[in-house]
């Protein structure tokens, strides 16, 4: 949609009128329509234009455009007729003709002219010599001209080669000179009720939407001093009602020349005060625009409210076929449920000349009614608030039959939705489809005794006409919601199944609910049945409010861990936040207890109170028949959850609970596994005088700390140390079990004073005794004794293991042992030990086959490649030698290692003589 608004633009005809921009061309051989096509003679003072695409939703957009434009011009008396006619004509263009529609609104001193043009001039209006019978009003289309003839003062059709244009003009009702509205003299007891002193808040808003003036009455009404609000946007304090089907928000309303209606102001105590407001757009002598807002409490709205259209009186009883609400019912309905419901309540209010109207839809089990549309009620009575279906058998006690309440003060609570709104009389009728309750439609007025059985019958007739269309649209909306819910749950399940990390699961739970299902959420977890719920995660769509909500929830007892499925209301957060805001406000005014510590200030406290002031629900997180936590969802002030959203949240909570419990079990088992694996690793390596030792160990596989490779260095006796490096066949837990057996057996046997071959022979027997769990083992075992001359003597046995390499000071590399049979294969082994002396500056390098068998395609590092790297390590410390070998292995191939690796480097330092 494209729009253009030009206040005060000159008339297209010039200042004195003239011919229309497109002259009417009657097709040859056809007679003219019997309509008044006189040209415009009034001066055009403003114009607004918009173009709409040929899609169904454009009809609702066109209605909103005309309604907003005419309300801004102050033409509230003719808004309804203009919107009905525009809806019909735009429907003809975008739905039936299938072209885009251009809508032009022209304002003059005595009324408004609206032109609707389409790009289908070939689809001409049928012409006859006598008045045209346009058919039944129950037809789906073709009533646009019939409505123009019935409602408009003048209308006509113009053709051009590319466009067909239908226009109509609505005149303002005549009023006595100097009189805007007047009413009869009334007895004192019938006058509107007000406080002893009526306070009218005068608030001025500058071009940017910020408050520039705030009078004393505004301070009294809302509790803010002038310096607290001047310079801040009005949107920070206004609780603007959501009106489905229209695009007017508070920012747009402040830009209109005039606006009048209801909304709320959040006071200093955190509560929302319903107000009735009248806005006037002005400019100062320098041309700077601003908006003056007059505000009174909603129950004192008579001080500011412009009287509604004059009741139809006797004409209303002439014929039910001319009832404007029934005319609307016969027209093509809006293609969305919200637009249909909102139009219904507006028409119902106008039909019975009410001050407000509301429509509620029944839940599937017909036990509750959910507010889906309203007009003339404060924002607290807006969408998705739920009230129980009254089950009493009397006409005043049931939502299943028409009911007329002459004075609600005599039957408090009869209509829960209207409690505290100032409405006195109300008529409600059920919406039924095939005998089943699908909803309730009501119209209310501020005065008592406004409605009788006659009005109930008229409203019931209209409700019967709209019930089937409403139910059809509701079922269509439910089907779309269910499809969206299935898609949402599938995506949520994929995300939750993709992680076993507890903290990440908590974060995903919160991020999936905010803002899709709720404005904020908190997740409580329960470690075991004896533990109290713990606040684990808090999220709000506004990150600046998270800390305030977390602080609030930490100060109140958590919800009870009830395993009963479904959402239950939890009022503690809203009540606690309200009390905190009240105490803060009183302290800021010098009342109440003195402040003994530094507080966060009234601003954050009020923001938190507003954030959690709406409906809060708790859903249990049940997994494996145990409550493991609670998912808490919340809305801001005056907002409620839809039943469909709560059902979706319940499905999500079941999936999230299982994912959270899986993450807990995985974390516990991972902790146990890591603890057991660490027990297989040797403790800290001993420091050996005269020998440098460095070890690098890498276990293959994610999450593994120990694999089939192992190492050890331990003292045997005074001056003697045992060292070992081995490789068990395979990787993972089974190999790690043999690793633990080998390492602990080596220590025990070596400290018994056995020689190296005897130690390995006993270990070989122990491995064979494991039977099916046994694994063959390659092992390099040796005993080392540092000598007084600075050298070190080693006795080595290499049982099937890669040979140790000796690096001399001159850079030569040679094997330091001979190969012998591996362990765990044969019972009788003939092993022997070899003696090696490491001179000062020499290095002994021991590795497992994960190092030498490192591959990149068909290439392998091998023994020769390892020796080449070692030749470059002359003069390096043991730690530097081990690090260089590891870097060479990692750079040899880009893939992650598939085998365990262990590197043991021992170096005898050079002797430095003083």
């Amino acid at each position: 949609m494209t729009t253009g608004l030009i206040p005060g633009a000159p008339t297209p005809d010039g200042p004195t009128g003239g011919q229309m921009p497109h002259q009417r061309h009657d097709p040859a051989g056809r007679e003219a329509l019997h309509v008044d096509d006189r040209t415009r003679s009034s001066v055009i003072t403003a114009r607004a234009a918009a173009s709409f695409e040929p899609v169904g939703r454009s009809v609702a957009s066109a209605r909103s455009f005309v309604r907003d434009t005419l309300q801004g011009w102050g033409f509230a008396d003719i808004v309804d007729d203009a919107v009905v006619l525009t809806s019909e004509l735009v429907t003809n263009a975008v739905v039936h003709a299938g072209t885009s529609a251009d809508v032009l609104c022209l304002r003059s001193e005595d009324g408004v002219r609206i032109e609707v043009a389409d790009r289908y001039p070939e689809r001409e209006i049928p012409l006859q010599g006598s008045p045209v019978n346009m058919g039944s009003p129950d037809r789906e289309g073709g009533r646009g001209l019939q409505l123009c003839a019935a409602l408009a003062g003048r209308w006509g059709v113009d053709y051009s080669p590319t466009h067909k244009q239908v226009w109509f003009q609505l005149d303002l009702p005549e009023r006595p000179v100097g009189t805007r509205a007047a009413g009869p003299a009334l007895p004192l007891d019938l006058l509107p009720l007000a406080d002893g002193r009526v306070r009218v808040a005068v608030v001025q808003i500058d071009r940017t939407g910020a408050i520039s003036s705030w009078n004393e009455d505004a301070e009294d009404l809302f509790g803010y001093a002038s310096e607290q609000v001047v310079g801040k946007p009005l949107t920070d304090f206004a609780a603007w009602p959501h009106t489905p089907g229209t695009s007017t928000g508070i920012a747009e309303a402040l830009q209109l020349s005039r606006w009048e209606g209801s909304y709320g102001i959040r006071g200093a105590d955190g509560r929302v005060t319903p107000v009735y407001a009248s806005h006037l757009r002005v400019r100062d002598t320098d041309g700077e625009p601003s908006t003056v807002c007059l505000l009174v409490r909603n129950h004192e709205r008579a001080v500011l409210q412009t009287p509604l259209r004059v009741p139809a009186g006797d004409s209303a009883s002439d014929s039910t076929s001319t009832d404007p609400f029934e005319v609307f019912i016969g027209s093509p309905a809006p293609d969305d449920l919200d637009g249909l419901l909102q139009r219904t309540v507006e028409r119902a209010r106008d039909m019975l000349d009410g001050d407000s109207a509301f429509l509620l839809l029944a839940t599937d089990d017909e036990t509750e009614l959910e507010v889906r549309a309203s007009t003339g009620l404060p924002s607290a009575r807006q969408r998705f608030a739920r009230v129980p279906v009254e089950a009493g058998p009397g006409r005043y006690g049931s939502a299943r039959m028409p009911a007329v309440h002459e004075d609600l003060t005599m039957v408090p609570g009869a209509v829960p939705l209207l409690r505290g709104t100032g409405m006195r009389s109300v008529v409600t009728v059920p919406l039924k489809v095939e005998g089943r309750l699908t909803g309730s439609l009501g119209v209310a007025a501020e005065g008592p005794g406004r409605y009788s059985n006659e009005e109930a019958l008229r409203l019931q007739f209209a409700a019967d006409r709209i019930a089937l269309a409403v139910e059809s649209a509701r079922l269509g909306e439910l089907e779309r919601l269910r499809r969206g819910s299935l898609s949402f749950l599938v995506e949520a399940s994929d995300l939750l199944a993709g992680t076993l990390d507890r903290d990440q699961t908590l974060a995903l739970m919160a991020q999936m609910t905010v803002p899709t299902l709720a404005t904020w959420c908190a997740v409580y977890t329960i470690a075991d049945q004896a533990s109290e719920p713990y606040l684990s995660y808090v999220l709000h769509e506004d990150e600046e409010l998270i800390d305030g909500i977390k602080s609030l929830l930490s100060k109140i007892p958590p919800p009870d861990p009830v395993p009963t499925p479904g959402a239950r209301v939890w009022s503690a957060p809203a009540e606690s936040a309200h009390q905190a805001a009240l105490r803060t406000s009183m302290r800021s005014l010098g009342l109440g207890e003195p402040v003994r510590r530094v507080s966060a200030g009234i601003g954050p406290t009020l923001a938190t109170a507003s954030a959690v002031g709406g409906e809060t629900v708790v859903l249990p997180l049940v997994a494996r028949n145990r409550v493991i936590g609670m998912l808490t969802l919340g809305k801001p002030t005056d907002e409620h959850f839809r039943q469909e959203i709560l059902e979706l949240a319940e499905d999500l909570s079941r999936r999230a609970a299982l994912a959270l419990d899986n993450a807990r079990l995985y974390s516990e088992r991972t902790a146990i596994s890591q603890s057991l694996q660490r027990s297989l690793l040797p403790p800290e390596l001993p420091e050996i005088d005269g020998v440098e030792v460095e070890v690098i160990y890498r276990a293959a596989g994610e999450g593994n700390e120990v694999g089939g490779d192992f190492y050890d260095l331990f003292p045997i006796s005074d001056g003697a140390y045992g060292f070992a490096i081995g490789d068990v066949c395979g990787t993972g837990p089974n190999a790690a079990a043999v690793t633990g057996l080998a390492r602990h057996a080596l220590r025990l046997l070596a400290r018994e004073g056995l020689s190296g071959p005897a130690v390995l022979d006993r270990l070989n027997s122990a491995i064979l005794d494991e039977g099916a769990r046994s694994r063959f083992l390659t092992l390099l075992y040796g005993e080392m004794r540092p000598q007084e001359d600075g050298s070190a003597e080693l006795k080595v046995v290499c049982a099937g293991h890669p040979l140790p390499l000796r690096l001399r000071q001159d850079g030569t590399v040679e094997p330091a042992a001979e190969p012998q049979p591996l362990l765990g294969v044969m019972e009788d082994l003939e092993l022997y030990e070899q003696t090696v002396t490491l001179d000062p500056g020499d290095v002994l390098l021991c590795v497992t086959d994960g190092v030498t068998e490192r591959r990149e395609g068909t290439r392998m590092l091998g023994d020769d490649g390892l020796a080449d790297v070692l030749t470059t390590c002359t003069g390096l410390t043991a730690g530097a030698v081990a690090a260089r070998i590891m870097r060479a292995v990692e750079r040899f191939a880009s893939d992650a290692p598939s085998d365990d690796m262990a590197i043991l480097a021992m170096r005898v330092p050079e002797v430095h003589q003083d």
Side-chain angles (χ1 to χ4, degrees):
M1 181 186 86
T2 57
T3 63
L5 181 63
I6 314 172
T11 173
D13 306 324
T16 60
Q19 296 299 318
M20 297 175 58
H22 298 295
Q23 294 292 334
R24 176 181 174 181
H25 301 283
D26 291 332
R30 299 193 180 186
E31 298 180 6
L33 285 173
H34 293 279
V35 296
D36 183 358
D37 63 349
R38 290 176 293 177
T39 59
R40 304 182 299 260
S41 59
S42 300
V43 175
I44 303 302
T45 58
R47 62 186 290 157
S51 297
F52 301 92
E53 298 297 324
V55 293
R57 62 176 179 273
S58 292
V59 180
S61 301
R63 289 196 297 266
S64 298
F65 165 70
V66 171
R67 180 178 296 279
D68 294 345
T69 300
L70 268 59
Q71 286 179 340
W73 287 348
F75 289 171
D77 293 318
I78 59 175
V79 163
D80 292 334
D81 288 343
V83 171
V84 168
L85 295 177
T86 302
S87 178
E88 286 293 334
L89 297 178
V90 173
T91 299
N92 289 338
V94 303
V95 176
H96 301 300
T99 76
S100 59
D102 299 328
V103 180
L104 175 64
C105 301
L106 301 174
R107 181 182 71 183
S108 63
E109 297 176 352
D110 54 359
V112 65
R113 173 182 170 122
I114 297 179
E115 302 173 355
V116 179
D118 63 39
R119 294 175 173 80
Y120 194 4
E122 293 83 0
R123 193 170 187 268
E124 299 175 349
I125 303 299
L127 302 178
Q128 299 178 5
S130 59
V132 180
N133 179 11
M134 298 185 182
S136 168
D138 292 331
R139 293 186 306 167
E140 183 178 353
R143 292 177 310 280
L145 300 182
Q146 183 182 23
L147 290 175
C148 288
L151 300 179
R154 287 178 288 166
W155 65 281
V157 183
D158 298 325
Y159 286 100
S160 73
T162 59
H163 291 73
K164 178 177 86 273
Q165 174 181 282
V166 181
W167 61 269
F168 60 88
Q169 181 160 329
L170 299 174
D171 298 327
L172 292 176
E174 295 183 1
R175 297 189 180 96
V177 176
T179 302
R180 170 65 177 173
L186 295 176
L188 295 181
D189 58 342
L190 297 181
L191 295 176
L193 183 64
D195 291 342
R197 172 174 177 255
V198 177
R199 292 176 172 81
V200 179
V202 181
V203 182
Q204 193 156 1
I205 312 299
D206 64 19
R207 178 197 292 268
T208 65
I211 297 172
S212 59
S213 178
W214 183 268
N215 73 341
E216 293 182 358
D217 279 357
E219 296 181 7
D220 292 337
L221 284 174
F222 310 119
Y224 298 108
S226 177
E227 57 269 19
Q228 291 179 286
V229 297
V230 170
K232 296 182 179 179
L234 180 62
T235 54
D236 288 356
F237 306 93
W240 189 258
H242 173 67
T243 305
T246 67
S247 59
T248 304
I250 187 168
E252 291 81 2
L254 291 173
Q255 298 296 320
L256 299 176
S257 60
R258 296 191 69 88
W259 185 90
E260 184 175 328
S262 298
Y263 52 92
I265 296 292
R266 294 186 179 91
D269 59 356
R271 293 187 177 183
V272 175
T273 301
V275 298
Y276 194 81
S278 176
H279 297 178
L280 176 66
R281 188 78 164 162
V282 299
R283 60 187 175 91
D284 60 18
T285 55
D286 296 328
E288 184 67 15
S290 63
T291 302
V292 178
C293 306
L294 305 180
L295 312 174
V296 297
R297 281 174 290 204
N298 198 56
H299 66 274
E300 297 169 343
R301 62 196 301 171
V303 176
L304 299 179
Q305 186 176 26
T306 300
L308 299 175
R309 180 185 303 182
V310 177
D314 295 336
S315 63
S317 60
D318 294 342
S319 173
T320 56
S321 62
T322 60
D323 191 295
F325 187 74
E326 295 176 27
V327 172
F328 160 70
I329 295 301
S331 67
D335 54 4
D336 64 298
L337 177 62
D338 289 338
L340 175 62
L341 299 182
Q342 191 63 29
R343 178 59 58 83
T344 300
V345 297
E346 291 171 356
R347 283 299 176 189
R349 177 202 61 193
D350 294 345
M351 183 179 71
L352 299 186
D353 190 29
D355 295 311
S356 65
F358 52 89
L359 192 149
L360 303 88
L361 294 183
T363 56
D364 292 339
D365 57 4
E366 300 182 19
T367 60
E368 286 187 315
L369 293 170
E370 189 175 61
V371 180
R372 292 301 302 269
S374 66
T375 181
L377 295 177
S379 60
R381 305 301 193 271
Q382 284 296 322
R383 290 158 51 89
F384 309 128
R386 292 182 299 278
V387 295
V389 174
E390 298 163 317
R395 66 175 298 174
Y396 291 99
S398 175
R400 304 180 186 276
M401 60 188 302
V404 177
H405 300 266
E406 296 182 353
D407 193 345
L408 290 176
T409 60
M410 305 300 294
V411 281
V415 183
L417 181 68
L418 300 180
R419 186 181 294 114
T421 62
M423 300 296 162
R424 296 282 299 276
S425 54
V426 61
V427 53
T428 62
V429 297
L431 275 68
K432 292 185 177 182
V433 175
E434 297 179 351
R436 181 173 57 86
L437 179 68
T438 60
S440 177
L441 176 63
V443 178
E446 295 178 347
R450 289 281 297 275
Y451 303 116
S452 63
N453 289 341
E454 181 182 352
E455 283 79 12
L457 290 174
R458 292 180 62 203
L459 189 62
Q460 184 66 69
F461 178 76
D464 292 341
R465 296 285 301 277
I466 196 64
L468 187 59
V470 169
E471 181 67 3
S472 177
R474 187 183 74 89
L475 292 177
E477 181 191 64
L478 286 177
E479 180 63 23
R480 289 190 295 272
L481 285 174
R482 284 168 182 157
R483 290 181 180 179
S485 299
L486 288 176
S487 176
F488 172 79
L489 291 175
V490 168
E491 182 179 358
S493 299
D494 289 342
L495 290 173
L496 291 171
T499 180
L500 287 173
D501 181 81
R502 175 183 176 276
D503 293 338
Q504 189 173 1
T505 302
L506 290 172
L508 283 174
M509 290 171 57
Q511 291 166 7
M512 284 185 292
T513 57
V514 175
T516 304
L517 305 181
T519 306
W520 65 272
C521 85
V523 182
Y524 291 85
T525 56
I526 303 174
D528 52 60
Q529 294 181 354
S531 301
E532 291 293 326
Y534 174 75
L535 181 62
S536 299
Y537 204 92
V538 175
L539 183 66
H540 190 281
E541 61 183 7
D542 184 351
E543 294 182 357
E544 295 182 356
L545 297 175
I546 293 177
D547 291 339
I549 297 177
K550 187 181 299 183
S551 175
L552 172 70
L553 295 179
S554 64
K555 296 176 182 177
I556 62 177
D560 296 330
V562 178
T564 306
R568 54 193 171 90
V569 177
W570 186 33
S571 59
E575 293 174 356
S576 179
H578 173 71
Q579 293 298 326
L582 183 59
R583 289 193 299 269
T584 305
S585 300
M586 293 179 66
R587 286 197 297 265
S588 67
L589 298 174
L591 304 174
E593 298 179 358
V595 181
R596 298 181 180 177
R597 58 185 178 86
V598 179
S599 64
I602 190 172
T605 304
L606 293 179
T608 301
S610 176
V612 302
E615 188 174 39
T616 301
V617 297
V618 178
L619 297 104
L621 298 175
V622 181
R624 298 176 176 90
N625 298 322
R626 187 174 71 87
V627 180
I628 63 171
M630 286 87 70
L631 177 63
T632 302
L633 306 179
K635 287 280 191 179
T637 300
D638 296 337
E639 293 194 17
H640 300 264
F641 286 99
R642 297 186 60 174
Q643 187 63 32
E644 294 85 356
I645 294 298
L646 294 179
E647 293 173 358
L648 180 59
E650 186 177 356
D651 286 339
L652 176 63
S653 68
R654 287 194 291 266
R655 290 165 169 78
L658 187 59
L660 184 61
D661 199 46
N662 288 339
R664 177 188 62 83
L665 293 175
Y666 177 78
S667 298
E668 291 178 356
R669 293 178 181 179
T670 300
I672 294 173
S673 174
Q674 291 175 345
S675 178
L676 292 174
Q677 290 187 62
R678 293 190 186 103
S679 69
L680 300 177
L681 294 174
E684 295 182 0
L685 298 178
E687 293 185 3
I688 305 175
D689 293 337
V691 179
E692 298 175 359
V693 180
E694 182 65 26
V695 174
I696 296 179
Y697 185 83
R698 297 284 190 274
E702 184 179 356
N704 291 331
E705 297 189 23
V706 177
D709 291 5
F710 69 95
Y711 67 92
D712 203 359
L713 179 64
F714 54 91
I716 298 176
S717 61
D718 293 340
Y721 296 87
F723 66 91
I725 184 169
D727 184 2
V728 178
C729 175
T731 60
N734 292 331
V738 179
T739 295
L741 170 65
R743 193 177 67 80
H744 290 94
L746 283 176
R747 288 195 172 210
L748 291 173
L749 295 172
R751 288 170 177 171
E752 291 294 325
L754 300 177
S755 64
V759 169
L760 267 60
D761 185 67
R762 301 276 184 93
L763 177 59
N764 182 61
S765 299
I767 295 174
L768 292 174
D769 289 343
E770 291 291 308
R773 295 183 299 176
S774 66
R775 300 292 179 96
F776 64 80
L777 168 68
T778 69
L779 179 65
L780 172 65
Y781 173 74
E783 296 180 1
M784 176 176 56
R785 292 178 182 273
Q787 303 298 311
E788 295 181 357
D789 60 357
S791 64
E793 182 183 82
L794 283 70
K795 293 181 179 181
V796 181
V797 180
C798 186
H801 199 77
L803 300 179
L805 299 179
R806 177 181 181 180
L807 173 64
R808 296 183 180 273
Q809 280 188 297
D810 59 3
T812 59
V813 175
E814 60 185 9
E818 297 176 356
Q820 300 185 57
L822 51 77
L823 308 180
V825 178
M826 300 179 295
E827 292 185 359
D828 297 327
L829 296 178
E830 295 182 1
L831 302 174
Y832 58 91
E833 63 183 10
Q834 297 174 271
T835 302
V836 180
T837 301
L838 294 182
D839 296 327
D842 289 356
V843 175
L844 184 70
L845 177 66
C846 310
V847 300
T848 57
D849 60 4
V851 175
T852 56
E853 295 179 1
R854 178 73 164 151
R855 295 179 180 274
E856 174 70 21
T858 59
R859 299 186 307 119
M860 186 173 70
L861 180 63
D863 296 334
D864 294 338
L866 179 63
D868 292 341
V869 176
L870 186 58
T871 58
T872 65
C873 299
T874 304
L876 299 181
T877 63
V881 171
R884 180 168 293 186
I885 297 298
M886 180 53 72
R887 283 198 302 271
V889 172
E890 291 173 344
R891 292 174 180 174
F892 187 81
S894 58
D895 295 339
S898 59
D899 195 5
D900 305 327
M901 293 186 293
I903 301 173
L904 172 62
M906 294 181 290
R907 177 177 180 270
V908 179
E910 299 177 14
V911 179
H912 297 282
Q913 298 180 357
D914 296 334

